[in-house]
Amino acid sequence: MTPDLACVDLVKRFDETTAVDNVSFSVPPGSFFSILGPSGCGKTTIMRMIAGFLDPTSGDIRIKGRSVLDTPPNKRPVNMVFQHLALFPMMTIAENIGYGLRRQKMPKDQIARKVDAALERIGLPGIGARKVDELSGGQKQRVAIARCMVLEPDVLLLDEPLGALDLKLREHMKVELKALQAAFDTTFVYITHDQSEALVMSDQIAVMNAGRFEQVGTGQDLYYRPETPFVAGFIGEANRWKGRIERAEGDVLQLRAETGLAIRATTAGGLAAGDRAEIFVRPESIRLAGSAGALSDVDNHLQGRVTSILFNGAASRVLVEDEAGETLEVTLPQSGEFASLQRGDTVHIGWGAAQASCFGGQG
Ligand SMILES: Nc1ncnc2c1ncn2[C@@H]1O[C@H](COP(=O)(O)OP(=O)(O)OP(=O)(O)O)[C@@H](O)[C@H]1O
Ligand SMILES: [Mg+2]
């Protein structure tokens, strides 16, 4: 099937800055694709090139298989929703949503029908006569999306559309946006620096760093099978150590961390004794036990002292200081077994080599 959107070897240079550095990806019809990365990594620059507000230095952009490089922004079958949404404050909600259709010279009664249908879709029927400042932030956001959707773009570009909303509303809008995308059955390209937004909504996520895509995959791929240290560190939480490989037997390695700790880990391959490497272990991969015996079967085992308990419901953590004086973050089990754990208690912690991702060439 022809992808709705394909970017091929896309490059954008501003003087000496390479904002987008040879990025290629394609988005199948009707899917939700997110670009996730830290501030300044080049996300908005990609969007502006797709929308036609910026010319690529090199590379191609294809929508439904056809290059749009020679197509001006207003003729491209894409629409963009911005972080600071620009609804027109002097117009009613209905006038805002119908704005693009009026510019297309669509007959009035047809516009009215489309606007009503769009309001229905976004779950705000009957508010067409209201003014923009009579709506909540989340409602305005939905109107901004409806205003784009009535134009029936092949691809809708959303640049951090939830950025201006408070946390609670953002949580709610994540679920709503995903439902809206399914209802309109349109391809969404969504950019954000918030991993939880990307993980919850997306079919595919590209993790971007310094102008490049580090990895493209499902949320599960990125979380459980990171391919680069940047992805392992950017998605989710992780305890990390740098050091040198002491022994390599098949896909199991032993790393001697700079702190002196020996850690057993697995690798996809390519690492040998003497190589520098970095290891990542997630807090939820670490088992907590009251005695050493309970961890006799695990590859990595440490004794430590509880320095803090960070209560956060199901996401509660225990900070454990090991004998080298290093602090590890461990998920507090929900079983209740450790409900009376206190600061100063001695605990045993352990994790399997398979739960430790190892990447070469660090430090
Ligand atoms: N018009 C421009 N002229 C020169 N440099 C630019 C221009 N636009 C963007 N840049 C630079 O390109 C890089 C990428 O910017 P971009 O706006 O794409 O980042 P971003 O990932 O969207 O960041 P944020 O999450 O903060 O919005 C930055 O270093 C930025 O300073
Ligand atoms: Mg941006």
Side-chain angles (χ1 to χ4, degrees):
M1 196 161 23
T2 313
D4 264 4
L5 170 68
C7 291
V8 186
D9 301 328
L10 206 53
V11 174
K12 181 66 193 181
R13 279 190 214 98
F14 297 108
D15 305 322
E16 67 274 25
T17 327
T18 304
V20 175
D21 190 3
N22 218 34
V23 163
S24 297
F25 65 99
S26 62
V27 184
S31 64
F32 199 122
F33 185 90
S34 291
I35 302 174
L36 171 67
S39 184
C41 71
K43 304 181 295 295
T44 298
T45 304
I46 292 184
M47 289 297 216
R48 295 180 66 211
M49 289 192 282
I50 297 170
F53 304 133
L54 202 60
D55 290 326
T57 304
S58 61
D60 196 10
I61 297 165
R62 295 176 196 144
I63 294 173
K64 290 203 181 297
R66 297 229 321 268
S67 176
V68 292
L69 289 190
D70 296 328
T71 310
N74 60 347
K75 294 272 164 30
R76 292 192 187 187
V78 301
N79 261 285
M80 190 153 167
V81 178
F82 299 91
Q83 167 168 8
H84 299 286
L85 52 117
L87 292 179
F88 304 113
M90 305 310 290
M91 295 182 192
T92 64
I93 300 304
E95 285 164 350
N96 263 283
I97 296 176
Y99 177 77
L101 299 173
R102 284 200 300 283
R103 295 199 11 161
Q104 290 177 2
K105 309 257 185 300
M106 185 180 276
K108 270 195 176 133
D109 53 335
Q110 213 175 325
I111 294 177
R113 274 201 304 278
K114 280 195 184 273
V115 168
D116 283 344
L119 284 169
E120 197 79 44
R121 273 276 171 76
I122 59 169
L124 297 170
I127 66 153
R130 284 171 53 185
K131 283 276 176 9
V132 171
D133 61 11
E134 294 170 28
L135 301 188
S136 75
Q139 290 169 332
K140 280 184 212 162
Q141 205 61 56
R142 279 184 272 171
V143 170
I145 291 166
R147 188 174 61 172
C148 290
M149 299 309 298
V150 290
L151 301 172
E152 295 168 18
D154 289 329
V155 177
L156 185 64
L157 308 173
L158 300 110
D159 188 345
E160 311 229 11
L162 307 185
L165 306 180
D166 69 38
L167 183 67
K168 194 79 191 165
L169 194 49
R170 244 168 32 221
E171 292 295 319
H172 175 70
M173 285 301 292
K174 271 186 221 170
V175 181
E176 292 244 322
L177 263 181
K178 177 85 186 146
L180 279 179
Q181 188 253 341
F184 283 106
D185 193 27
T186 297
T187 301
F188 274 31
V189 179
Y190 188 93
I191 69 181
T192 181
H193 60 263
D194 180 318
Q195 54 167 298
S196 143
E197 279 177 19
L199 291 172
V200 167
M201 295 190 286
S202 316
D203 297 307
Q204 292 269 302
I205 303 167
V207 178
M208 191 172 186
N209 176 31
R212 292 176 162 271
F213 279 6
E214 293 254 337
Q215 188 174 348
V216 182
T218 62
Q220 282 93 335
D221 289 337
L222 301 170
Y223 194 88
Y224 294 112
R225 292 172 291 281
E227 286 167 4
T228 70
F230 180 83
V231 175
F234 194 72
I235 307 280
E237 304 290 322
N239 295 287
R240 52 209 288 182
W241 293 269
K242 286 180 180 177
R244 205 174 276 283
I245 307 289
E246 265 182 348
R247 264 189 297 139
E249 288 154 10
D251 58 355
V252 179
L253 307 167
Q254 179 160 307
L255 175 119
R256 180 66 62 179
E258 283 156 3
T259 57
L261 187 69
I263 305 166
R264 289 164 67 77
T266 48
T267 173
L271 287 173
D275 288 348
R276 293 200 61 79
E278 190 171 13
I279 284 182
F280 294 77
V281 181
R282 297 202 181 283
E284 65 270 29
S285 302
I286 302 183
R287 259 163 69 191
L288 197 59
S291 69
L295 294 171
S296 57
D297 60 330
V298 300
D299 303 303
N300 297 284
H301 170 212
L302 292 175
Q303 183 177 321
R305 203 172 44 82
V306 175
T307 55
S308 191
I309 295 169
L310 309 174
F311 180 76
N312 184 16
S316 297
R317 299 285 165 78
V318 184
L319 301 186
V320 177
E321 191 180 289
D322 69 9
E323 283 157 337
E326 235 204 325
T327 300
L328 284 85
E329 219 176 298
V330 181
T331 297
L332 182 69
Q334 292 300 293
S335 60
E337 193 189 340
F338 293 94
S340 59
L341 198 67
Q342 283 184 352
R343 202 182 141 156
D345 286 354
T346 296
V347 287
H348 294 262
I349 56 177
W351 64 93
Q355 267 85 57
S357 337
C358 187
F359 301 97
Q362 294 307 298

